[in-house]
Structures are given as structure tokens and as C-alpha cells.
Amino acid sequence: MTDDATDPAGPKNHRTIDRVTQILEEVVYHPGIGFAELARALDAPKSSVHGFIRGLQAKGWLYEDDKRFYLGPAIYGLTMASGHIRAGQVSQADLDALHKETGMTVFLGVEAGDHLIYIGESGTDALTGFAARTNIRRKLISTAGGKALLAAKTDAERDAYLRRNHADGEAVSEFLSEFAEIRKTGVARNFRHHGAQIAFAGVVRNQAGESVAVGIVVGQTAEIQPREAKVRKLLLKHVASWTRQKTAAREPI
């Protein structure tokens, strides 16, 4: 029997994990959601949903207040204690400073499986903020942040990801055509909303030089493209300063 945890074919869906993930994401989308609403959203027997919720509460992933459910402290504690992104490495003030210098929306993202998840933001406009809050998980191959993280991987890790996502043939081809430039410049670029927005991304590294997060700036293409060189330079300057910072606790994201 193949052990999925070590299967070189990569991640696989698991019914129980999918159900737990859906519960957590429903709570993220709808903080204060009730039990009946959760059961309807999952389209699952109430007894099954009840068991999952109680298990998540026991481990601190959820907490209940007045029969309403919210994210528990374990979610935040895990990020803080992981040894990768900590409260002190990239603060809200750091994100705000990049936003102020570029005039663009700023995100801090981390890799989760084959997806990119935002864990911090600054200067969000209505369109970009709505998109960020209604789509927690983004495919790495389809985002500037994801492309930057992919380019920073080892050849074996990157090739394994591309094989797993071969169905996204156009996106894979686009990434491969951009790969050399991303490695050379340290910046990945992507267009959003049918070209109306443009995004640039650079990898944040820890003290050991490992890529642990990605800084992303997003703006209107017509306004940003004429000053693209300056934006790239500012992004790299800030990301480099975040990398040099020690991970002593300062201000949480």
C-alpha cells in the first residue's frame, strides 16, 4: 500500500481533510456562523459536522461563543510558532511602508500545499480587497506571488509541482517562459482581472536563506506600467530589508 505522505506523485485529496478544511474556511468567510448554517454549507449530516466541530474546538482551531463559531487561537499560534514567518520578521508597519512608497496594494503571502494564501495586507482597494477575502487559496502557477515562490524552489521541487499541475498547460507554459527572467531579477509579474491590474512579487527569506513568504504589490496596469522599473526596485529593497530582520517578536501581522 502506498503511503500518501511520502508518495512522490504529490498531494491528494482526502475526504476527512477536505471536510475539516471546508469547516475552517466557512468560519473564515463567515465569522460567527451558527451550527445549522455550517451543516447546510457542508451539505453533511449534522451528527458528522458536530463531531468535526467538537474535535476542532478541542484542539483550539475553533471556539464557540453564544452558539456562534470563530477561528480559535491555534490558527494564529501555529503561524507564530512555526519558525518561519513570526511576528517580528514582517510587521504591519513593514507592509504599510511598502504601500506608502509604491502607492500600491501590498500583500504578504505564504505557500500552503500547492496554493498561495495571504496572511497580511496594506492599502487594499475595494476590488482587490474583495477578491482577497472571497478567494483564500490561489494556485501558485496563476499568481505573481506563486511564480516567485516556484522560481525559488529547487529544480526537483519545482518540476514535481509542474507535473502535478500539468492540466494547467497554458499557465505552466507561461511560467516556464518567464522563469529565467524571474530568477535573474528576483521579481515575478502577473496580470489580473483581464489585464486591468498588474502584480509584482519578491520572495522573503529567513536568516538561513530559505524562502518563507512572498511580498506582493498590486496596482492598476495603466498607472503602474510606466513606472514599472521603479516599482520593482522598491519591492526588492523592502523585501531585502524584511529578510535581514531578526525574528524577535515585535508587532504581529
Side-chain angles (χ1 to χ4, degrees):
M1 180 179 293
T2 300
D3 182 356
D4 285 350
T6 58
D7 186 352
K12 292 182 175 63
N13 288 334
H14 188 285
R15 184 177 300 175
T16 299
I17 299 301
D18 289 349
R19 185 60 51 82
V20 169
T21 301
Q22 189 179 359
I23 290 172
L24 291 174
E25 292 184 350
E26 285 295 331
V27 173
V28 169
Y29 288 133
H30 309 106
I33 191 171
F35 175 78
E37 295 166 281
L38 264 175
R40 282 196 298 271
L42 270 66
D43 192 24
K46 289 185 177 181
S47 58
S48 174
V49 176
H50 184 270
F52 283 121
I53 288 174
R54 291 294 172 252
L56 288 166
Q57 284 183 282
K59 292 297 185 180
W61 298 106
L62 294 179
Y63 82 89
E64 182 180 359
D65 181 37
D66 194 27
K67 298 183 179 180
R68 299 285 175 178
F69 296 97
Y70 304 84
L71 287 182
I75 297 287
Y76 307 99
L78 188 61
T79 300
M80 298 280 285
S82 67
H84 296 298
I85 288 296
R86 296 189 182 181
Q89 183 162 345
V90 184
S91 70
Q92 185 62 46
D94 293 325
L95 302 182
D96 292 343
L98 178 54
H99 164 63
K100 184 176 180 180
E101 279 211 70
T102 60
M104 300 171 71
T105 297
V106 176
F107 292 104
L108 183 69
V110 294
E111 184 178 349
D114 282 353
H115 295 86
L116 179 72
I117 294 179
Y118 293 152
I119 62 171
E121 64 181 77
S122 179
T124 311
D125 60 52
L127 174 61
T128 309
F130 176 78
R133 291 177 178 82
T134 54
N135 181 16
I136 291 176
R137 299 174 185 273
R138 291 166 170 76
K139 291 183 178 181
L140 293 176
I141 198 70
S142 302
T143 64
K147 290 177 182 179
L149 289 168
L150 283 173
K153 289 180 177 294
T154 66
D155 291 345
E157 290 172 332
R158 185 170 50 256
D159 289 347
Y161 172 88
L162 295 176
R163 284 196 299 271
R164 291 196 301 273
N165 292 272
H166 68 277
D168 294 317
E170 185 176 343
V172 170
S173 296
E174 181 178 302
F175 168 75
L176 291 173
S177 70
E178 299 169 351
F179 173 67
E181 183 69 13
I182 297 171
R183 288 293 292 264
K184 177 182 177 181
T185 65
V187 177
R189 185 179 72 171
N190 200 57
F191 290 95
R192 301 152 52 103
H193 303 298
H194 306 290
Q197 288 188 325
I198 191 170
F200 300 96
V203 167
V204 182
R205 300 182 184 275
N206 61 16
Q207 297 293 307
E210 302 164 326
S211 58
V212 294
V214 62
I216 305 136
V217 290
V218 181
Q220 297 301 309
T221 302
E223 191 272 323
I224 299 301
Q225 274 194 316
R227 56 187 183 96
E228 179 174 332
K230 183 177 181 180
V231 168
R232 286 171 173 263
K233 186 176 180 179
L234 287 170
L235 173 64
L236 288 174
K237 180 186 78 170
H238 282 264
V239 167
S241 73
W242 300 346
T243 293
R244 290 192 298 270
Q245 290 173 168
K246 294 182 180 180
T247 55
R250 291 187 292 133
E251 178 187 355
I253 289 172

